[in-house]
Amino acid sequence: MTTLPKILFIAYNFPPHGGAGVQRSLKFVKYLPEFGWQPLVVTTTADASLVQDPSLAKDIPPQTPIIRVPGFSISRLQTKATRYHLRRAAVALNILLQLPDATRFWAHQARKTVARLIKEEKPQLIYTTSGPYSSHLLGLWARKQFQIPWFADFRDPWSKNLLLPYPPGYRTLNRIMERQVLATADRIACVSEPWLMDLQANLGCCTEKFMVLTNGYDDTDIHPYPPTTTTHFTLTHMGSFYRNRRPHKVVAAIKQLTASNRIPASKLRVLFIGKNARQHIPSAPPFITHDYMPHKQLDQFRQQSNAFLLILATSPENIGNHSGKLFEYIASNRPILGIVPPGGAAQQLIAETNTGIAISDEIDMITQAIEKLYDQWQSKCVSWDPDWDKIQQYTRRNLTAQLATAFNEMVTS
């Protein structure tokens, strides 16, 4: 039996952790052996994440070595400090110590494990993924220490991340660290062209080592569901909200539509599934909320939905954001209402796959779009012709094939 070449696969977020950040790494690990590579996964312990989804573990090939490195995370200070009514002080301390993020001590602790694995297993490549960005600092150290080619994967921006409330001067310091990573990594991937261009601008050049490798969907999890017959029009949003991503304008639009009876409240359900949905969504009909759910349990809600809702920050700085959930939406055979940045990556993906409507966050536009979707459902005349050839380009298997091609080029160059 032929032994596959090994790759040291450093991914802090990995099952049994749950959440959107896990999916990309998990699916790469699932499919890489099919394309000739054996991952050696270096991750952290289960208790490092508050969001758990043990069901994801069944996607990990049984022969995959998983090495778990415990490490102190600065974010745990918040939990402890809350018990003593010191949460504000802990939050401030968290922000000040997070350079680049809360896992900096874990990344340093993992050096011994990485060194041992390189000595014993002799991997041909190193792969790191962010966030957290400390994983790239671990990759930077390993690349310099052992001279093994390194692939750095960016799931999100780093120094230009809108979700991170950097203290004065910290964004500049992170930009310097980011530039060191970009200069040293042998290949660099990012999930969208606009975000990749930001990375290239920081490095000061557009070299051939950069590539776009989008997120995607696993066609063993997500299927083109047949049309559903429902007594209510069900609009479904999946995912969490953040400081620059809020649902208040959608809530206002829904209230306008039901108050004016343009859509009878008795005929409408607006479903929000996410770890903080209850903090932002009214508890009265037509709104329904659920906490975070294991990924496998979302299937029933996809099937019962008549349309999907995507809410992103619509500022120009966010044009590179697809949101990982959008790829699962486009594969589910339901229209999408995307409240997204004009001219951005999400709008482009919806347009090229012909899977829905992309609009800005003006309440009048939101009400018109929801009313249009409702009227089509009510009249049983849904205008719907997705481009399945284009959609299928985004399967996790196809994307892993692109990653494996890049790995092959790295070891032969």
Side-chain angles (χ1 to χ4, degrees), residues 43-45 68-72 106 109-110:
T43 185
T44 188
T45 49
R68 300 191 181 275
V69 180
F72 175 72
W106 171 84
Q109 179 75 15

Side-chain angles (χ1 to χ4, degrees), residues 82-104:
T82 301
R83 300 175 191 166
Y84 301 101
H85 308 287
L86 297 172
R87 189 175 185 279
R88 286 189 178 182
V91 169
L93 186 60
N94 279 356
I95 293 173
L96 292 173
L97 289 177
Q98 290 190 35
L99 191 62
D101 51 49
T103 65
R104 56 183 292 192

Side-chain angles (χ1 to χ4, degrees), residues 113-307:
T113 300
V114 167
R116 175 179 61 80
L117 288 170
I118 289 174
K119 180 179 179 181
E120 295 176 356
E121 302 291 343
K122 296 178 173 51
Q124 294 192 24
L125 295 175
I126 299 167
Y127 169 96
T128 59
T129 182
S130 65
Y133 310 103
S134 292
S135 296
H136 289 325
L137 297 187
L138 178 57
L140 176 65
W141 171 83
R143 176 67 176 89
K144 290 182 175 180
Q145 191 78 10
F146 301 101
Q147 302 301 308
I148 298 174
W150 169 33
F151 190 107
D153 179 42
F154 287 78
R155 302 192 311 272
D156 297 294
W158 181 349
S159 63
K160 287 196 170 185
N161 194 322
L162 301 178
L163 298 179
L164 301 178
Y166 286 122
Y170 269 49
R171 196 170 295 276
T172 299
L173 291 173
N174 275 274
R175 197 151 182 81
I176 293 170
M177 288 187 288
E178 179 183 74
R179 192 178 302 122
Q180 292 173 336
V181 166
L182 298 173
T184 306
D186 298 276
R187 291 295 298 269
I188 299 158
C190 194
V191 295
S192 71
E193 188 70 34
W195 282 352
L196 194 74
M197 290 173 66
D198 284 342
L199 296 177
Q200 291 173 330
N202 189 10
L203 185 58
C205 61
C206 301
T207 70
E208 293 181 356
K209 70 179 180 178
F210 287 91
M211 65 181 290
V212 173
L213 189 62
T214 67
N215 283 311
Y217 71 97
D218 192 337
D219 55 2
T220 65
D221 296 336
I222 312 294
H223 311 283
Y225 305 108
T228 184
T229 302
T230 58
T231 57
H232 300 76
F233 176 73
T234 303
L235 180 64
T236 300
H237 179 277
M238 298 178 180
S240 302
F241 298 111
Y242 302 97
R243 68 189 187 100
N244 70 336
R245 184 193 303 173
R246 294 282 193 260
H248 59 281
K249 291 187 177 180
V250 171
V251 171
I254 295 292
K255 288 182 175 179
Q256 282 188 19
L257 288 166
T258 54
S260 64
N261 209 38
R262 289 158 65 185
I263 299 180
S266 62
K267 288 287 188 179
L268 179 63
R269 288 180 179 169
V270 187
L271 178 62
F272 290 87
I273 304 172
K275 64 183 179 183
N276 59 356
R278 289 193 171 100
Q279 298 175 28
H280 300 280
I281 304 301
S283 56
F287 301 100
I288 302 171
T289 58
H290 291 281
D291 289 329
Y292 173 84
M293 289 185 175
H295 193 256
K296 305 294 184 185
Q297 292 183 19
L298 296 175
D299 189 65
Q300 60 178 313
F301 294 99
R302 295 190 192 96
Q303 293 187 58
Q304 295 167 5
S305 299
N306 301 107

